[in-house]
Coordinates of all heavy atoms in Angstrom, one line a residue:
V228 N 2.0 6.7 65.4 CA 1.3 6.1 64.4 C 1.6 4.6 64.4 O 2.8 4.2 64.6 CB 1.6 6.6 63.0 CG1 1.1 5.8 61.8 CG2 1.2 8.1 62.9
L229 N 0.6 3.7 64.3 CA 0.8 2.3 64.2 C 0.3 1.8 62.8 O -0.9 2.1 62.5 CB 0.1 1.6 65.3 CG 0.0 0.1 65.3 CD1 1.4 -0.5 65.4 CD2 -0.9 -0.4 66.4
I230 N 1.2 1.1 62.0 CA 0.7 0.6 60.7 C 0.9 -0.9 60.8 O 2.0 -1.4 61.0 CB 1.6 1.2 59.6 CG1 1.3 2.8 59.5 CG2 1.1 0.6 58.2 CD1 2.1 3.4 58.5
L231 N -0.3 -1.6 60.5 CA -0.1 -3.0 60.5 C -0.2 -3.5 59.1 O -1.0 -3.0 58.3 CB -1.3 -3.7 61.3 CG -1.5 -3.3 62.8 CD1 -2.8 -3.9 63.4 CD2 -0.3 -3.7 63.6
V232 N 0.7 -4.5 58.9 CA 0.8 -5.1 57.5 C 0.7 -6.6 57.7 O 1.1 -7.2 58.7 CB 2.1 -4.7 56.8 CG1 2.0 -3.2 56.4 CG2 3.3 -5.0 57.6
P233 N 0.2 -7.3 56.7 CA 0.1 -8.7 56.8 C 1.4 -9.6 56.7 O 1.5 -10.5 57.4 CB -0.8 -9.1 55.6 CG -0.9 -8.0 54.7 CD -0.4 -6.9 55.4
E234 N 2.4 -9.1 55.9 CA 3.4 -10.0 55.6 C 4.7 -9.4 55.9 O 5.0 -8.3 55.7 CB 3.5 -10.4 54.1 CG 2.3 -11.2 53.6 CD 2.5 -12.6 53.3 OE1 3.7 -13.0 53.7 OE2 1.7 -13.3 52.7
I235 N 5.7 -10.3 56.4 CA 7.0 -9.8 56.7 C 7.7 -9.4 55.5 O 8.4 -8.4 55.4 CB 7.8 -11.0 57.3 CG1 7.1 -11.6 58.5 CG2 9.2 -10.5 57.8 CD1 6.8 -10.6 59.6
I236 N 7.5 -10.1 54.4 CA 8.2 -9.8 53.2 C 7.9 -8.4 52.6 O 8.7 -7.9 51.9 CB 8.1 -10.9 52.0 CG1 6.6 -11.3 51.9 CG2 9.0 -12.0 52.3 CD1 6.4 -12.0 50.7
L237 N 6.7 -7.9 53.0 CA 6.3 -6.6 52.5 C 6.9 -5.5 53.3 O 7.0 -4.4 52.9 CB 4.8 -6.4 52.5 CG 4.0 -7.3 51.6 CD1 2.5 -7.1 51.9 CD2 4.3 -7.1 50.1
T238 N 7.4 -5.9 54.4 CA 7.8 -4.8 55.3 C 9.1 -4.0 54.9 O 9.0 -2.8 55.0 CB 8.0 -5.4 56.8 OG1 7.0 -6.3 57.0 CG2 8.0 -4.4 57.8
P239 N 10.1 -4.6 54.5 CA 11.3 -3.8 54.1 C 10.9 -2.8 53.0 O 11.4 -1.6 53.0 CB 12.3 -4.8 53.6 CG 11.7 -6.1 53.5 CD 10.4 -6.0 54.3
Q240 N 10.1 -3.2 52.0 CA 9.7 -2.4 51.0 C 8.9 -1.1 51.5 O 9.2 0.0 51.2 CB 8.8 -3.2 50.1 CG 8.7 -2.6 48.6 CD 8.1 -3.6 47.7 OE1 7.9 -4.8 48.1 NE2 7.7 -3.1 46.6
L241 N 7.9 -1.4 52.3 CA 7.1 -0.4 52.9 C 8.0 0.6 53.8 O 7.8 1.8 53.9 CB 5.9 -0.9 53.6 CG 4.8 0.1 53.9 CD1 4.3 0.8 52.7 CD2 3.7 -0.6 54.7
T242 N 8.9 -0.1 54.6 CA 9.8 0.7 55.5 C 10.5 1.7 54.7 O 10.6 2.8 55.1 CB 10.7 -0.3 56.2 OG1 10.2 -1.5 56.5 CG2 11.4 0.4 57.4
M243 N 11.0 1.3 53.5 CA 11.8 2.1 52.8 C 11.0 3.3 52.3 O 11.4 4.5 52.3 CB 12.4 1.3 51.5 CG 13.8 1.1 51.5 SD 14.8 1.7 52.8 CE 15.4 3.3 52.0
R244 N 9.8 3.0 51.9 CA 8.9 4.0 51.4 C 8.5 5.0 52.5 O 8.5 6.2 52.3 CB 7.6 3.4 50.9 CG 7.3 3.7 49.5 CD 6.1 3.0 49.0 NE 5.0 4.0 48.6 CZ 3.8 3.6 48.2 NH1 3.5 2.4 48.1 NH2 2.9 4.5 47.9
I245 N 8.4 4.5 53.7 CA 8.0 5.4 54.9 C 9.2 6.2 55.2 O 9.2 7.3 55.5 CB 7.6 4.5 56.1 CG1 6.3 3.9 55.7 CG2 7.4 5.4 57.3 CD1 5.8 2.8 56.8
R246 N 10.4 5.5 55.2 CA 11.7 6.2 55.4 C 11.9 7.5 54.6 O 12.2 8.5 55.0 CB 12.8 5.2 55.2 CG 13.8 4.9 56.2 CD 14.5 5.9 56.9 NE 14.5 5.7 58.4 CZ 14.2 6.6 59.3 NH1 13.9 7.7 59.0 NH2 14.3 6.2 60.6
R247 N 11.6 7.2 53.3 CA 11.8 8.3 52.4 C 10.8 9.4 52.6 O 11.0 10.6 52.3 CB 11.7 7.7 50.9 CG 12.8 6.8 50.5 CD 13.1 7.0 49.1 NE 14.1 6.0 48.7 CZ 13.9 5.0 47.9 NH1 12.7 4.8 47.5 NH2 14.8 4.2 47.6
R248 N 9.6 9.0 53.0 CA 8.5 9.9 53.1 C 8.7 10.7 54.4 O 8.4 11.9 54.4 CB 7.2 9.2 53.2 CG 5.9 10.0 53.4 CD 5.7 10.8 52.1 NE 4.2 11.4 52.1 CZ 3.9 12.4 52.8 NH1 4.6 12.9 53.6 NH2 2.6 12.7 52.7
F249 N 9.2 10.1 55.5 CA 9.4 10.7 56.8 C 10.8 10.6 57.2 O 11.1 9.9 58.2 CB 8.4 10.1 57.8 CG 7.0 10.1 57.4 CD1 6.4 8.9 57.0 CD2 6.2 11.3 57.6 CE1 5.0 8.9 56.6 CE2 4.9 11.2 57.3 CZ 4.3 10.0 56.8
P250 N 11.7 11.3 56.5 CA 13.1 11.1 56.9 C 13.5 11.6 58.3 O 14.5 11.1 58.9 CB 13.9 11.9 55.9 CG 12.9 12.7 55.1 CD 11.5 12.2 55.5
E251 N 12.7 12.4 58.9 CA 13.1 13.0 60.2 C 12.6 12.2 61.4 O 12.9 12.5 62.5 CB 13.0 14.5 60.3 CG 11.7 15.1 59.9 CD 11.1 14.9 58.5 OE1 11.7 15.3 57.4 OE2 10.1 14.2 58.4
I252 N 11.8 11.2 61.2 CA 11.2 10.6 62.4 C 11.7 9.2 62.7 O 12.3 8.6 61.8 CB 9.6 10.4 62.3 CG1 9.2 9.5 61.2 CG2 9.0 11.8 62.1 CD1 7.8 9.0 61.3
K253 N 11.5 8.8 63.9 CA 12.1 7.4 64.2 C 11.0 6.3 63.9 O 9.9 6.4 64.4 CB 12.4 7.5 65.7 CG 12.7 6.1 66.3 CD 14.2 5.8 66.2 CE 14.4 4.4 66.8 NZ 15.5 3.6 66.2
I254 N 11.5 5.4 63.2 CA 10.5 4.3 62.7 C 10.9 3.0 63.5 O 12.1 2.6 63.5 CB 10.6 4.2 61.3 CG1 9.9 5.3 60.6 CG2 9.8 2.9 60.7 CD1 10.3 5.5 59.2
G255 N 10.0 2.3 64.0 CA 10.2 1.0 64.6 C 9.6 -0.1 63.8 O 8.7 0.1 63.0
M256 N 10.1 -1.3 64.0 CA 9.5 -2.5 63.3 C 9.3 -3.6 64.3 O 10.1 -3.8 65.2 CB 10.4 -2.9 62.2 CG 10.4 -2.0 61.0 SD 10.5 -3.1 59.6 CE 12.1 -3.7 59.8

Side-chain angles (χ1 to χ4, degrees):
V228 173
L229 172 64
I230 298 176
L231 299 179
V232 291
E234 297 251 9
I235 306 303
I236 46 164
L237 294 177
T238 319
Q240 202 169 346
L241 195 58
T242 321
M243 247 1 261
R244 237 178 116 180
I245 294 172
R246 238 307 137 225
R247 291 214 184 110
R248 179 70 164 76
F249 305 102
E251 47 306 288
I252 68 163
K253 170 85 182 150
I254 292 160
M256 284 222 293

